[in-house]
Amino acid sequence: SASAFPPQKPKSELVRTSLRLLTSSAYRLQSECRKALPVESSPSTDIQLVTQQVIQCAYDIAKAAKQLVTITTKENNN
């Protein structure tokens, strides 16, 4: 069966890439959520924009987690 990943990329590199995306997205999520908190938000805070950013970060975290699951499942099945 054809691999979902290009053969030139070793699994360890794919894991590192996924972990980097997971880490950076988690930091962004934390930062965006802080902006939405009443204590830290300024009157100029666009809550709708912050909400969109939070949704995007959450999506990126889910995507990175799915990549990790896919990679580790393939490794375990080989």
Side-chain angles (χ1 to χ4, degrees):
S1 71
S3 175
F5 303 111
Q8 70 269 19
K9 259 198 169 186
K11 282 179 182 159
S12 60
E13 184 55 38
L14 288 165
V15 169
R16 271 198 295 277
T17 303
S18 297
L19 288 172
R20 271 196 296 271
L21 177 60
L22 202 51
T23 305
S24 62
S25 300
Y27 277 118
R28 272 188 57 218
L29 182 62
Q30 188 179 37
S31 160
E32 294 297 336
C33 287
R34 277 207 184 110
K35 287 182 203 169
L37 289 172
V39 179
E40 300 202 23
S41 66
S42 65
S44 63
T45 301
D46 182 347
I47 294 300
Q48 194 172 359
L49 180 64
V50 171
T51 304
Q52 286 172 350
Q53 293 297 322
V54 167
I55 291 167
Q56 184 59 54
C57 293
Y59 174 81
D60 288 340
I61 289 170
K63 190 168 78 175
K66 185 174 188 281
Q67 285 172 355
L68 283 173
V69 168
T70 303
I71 295 161
T72 52
T73 303
K74 280 196 171 144
E75 278 182 352
N76 294 339
N77 290 341
N78 288 345

